[in-house]
Amino acid sequence: MLKIQFPRTQKGIYFWFLAFSSFLLFVSLATLLAAAGELSSSSSDLKNLKVVMPNLEEYVSYQAIDFRLNNTTLNTRRLKPSDIPKLADDAIVPVGLDDAVNRAFQYFAEFENKRSGPILTVTPPTVESVEAGSFADQAGVKPGDLVQYVSSIKIESVMGYYQALNEKLAPEISLKLLRNKQNTITVAMKNPARTPITGSNSGITFAIPPEAVYLTEQDSKRMADQYRREMLPAISVDWRTEAANNLMQSAKRLNLISKSVIDPNGPSSAKIRAKDVLNWQHKKVLEAIDSYFSQRRKIENKNAFYLTGMGDAVVGFVCSLVIFVIAGALYWYQRRIAGKKS
C-alpha cells in the first residue's frame, strides 16, 4: 500500500500554510463585510432620498422691507424669517391635489387683498376700462366715470365698490356715476341669468396703482385653473400632490403675515407679492425634483459599483475558504501521520 511520507524537516510548512490561509480567509471575510456594508449604506441612502420641498423662509430672506427713520430717511432691511408666522403641527394636514390648489389660491387672494387694502381704500373708484359685452358695458358705464353709489350705498373708494357688491349679491345693481366731472347719471347693471353681479364679473376695471391687486373668489378660481393648466403639468406626477400641499402651506403662512409688514402705505413695507411667491415655489419644486433624480443616478451608480465589488469579494472569500479547507486538511493529515510515526 502506497503511503505519503512527510519529511520531518517540512513539518512546519503546513502550519504556516494553514496560518496564511487563515489570514487570507480573515482578510477576504473583512473585505466581504465591508463591501456588504457599503452596499447596504448606499441602498439606505437611496431609500431615504426624497424631494425636499421649498421652505418659505428661503424666499423671504431675500425680500426687502423699506422703512423710515424719523419719517424722513428711507432705509432698507431684509424681511426676516421671523416675520412669517409658522403653522402649528396640527395645522399642516395634507389634502387632495385639487383641494390643495384651491385652498392655496384662496389664501393668495386673501393675502393680496390684505396687502392692497390700504391702497384701494384711498383710491377713488374711477373707471379705467369696461369689458365689451359685460353687464357694465350693457348698462352704459364709460371709461372715466366715477362711481358714487352702488344702489343706496355711498362709494368713496375702489375697495368700497367691491365690498358693496359683495354685500349686495343681487342680479340687478344700480350705479350712480359722475361723468366728465359734472354730469350725474344713473345706470342699472342686469344679469339675465339671475345670478349675483360681483366685482369680478361686472366688467369694470378701475384706475388703481400698479402695485395694488384685488382678487375676488372668481379670480382665485381662475388663477387655480391657470396653475393646473400651465404649471402643474411640468411637475412629475409622483410629486404633484406634495407640491400642491407645499404651495398651500406657503400661501397660508403668507396670508398670516402681519398687515403692518405688508402695508404699502405704512412706515415698514415688505416688497412681497403672491405671484412672486408662486413663481419662486414652482421653480424651487422643479429644481428639487431635478436634484432628486441627479442624486438618485449617483447613488444607483454607486450601488452598481458596490455590487460589482461585492461579487468580487464573494469570489475572493470562496477561494480563500477553499484554500483554508485544503490547508486545514493537509495540516490535519500531516499531524496524523506524524503521530503514527511517533
Side-chain angles (χ1 to χ4, degrees), residues 48 69-70 109 121 135 151 162 188 191 232-233 240 298 330 337:
N48 295 328
L69 296 178
N70 301 323
T121 301
F135 307 132
S151 296
Y162 288 122
N191 184 356
L232 205 56
R240 287 180 184 175
K298 291 179 180 179
L330 289 175
I337 295 300

Side-chain angles (χ1 to χ4, degrees), residues 1-50:
M1 184 178 211
L2 181 63
K3 293 184 178 181
I4 300 177
Q5 297 294 330
F6 292 92
R8 292 181 180 275
T9 56
Q10 295 186 2
K11 286 173 59 177
I13 294 177
Y14 302 101
F15 171 78
W16 291 112
F17 181 40
L18 178 61
F20 172 75
S21 64
S22 299
F23 174 75
L24 192 64
L25 180 63
F26 173 77
V27 171
S28 63
L29 178 60
T31 303
L32 178 61
L33 293 176
E38 290 175 335
L39 181 60
S40 175
S41 176
S42 183
S43 299
S44 178
D45 290 341
L46 183 61
K47 182 179 179 181
N48 295 328
L49 185 62
K50 295 181 179 179

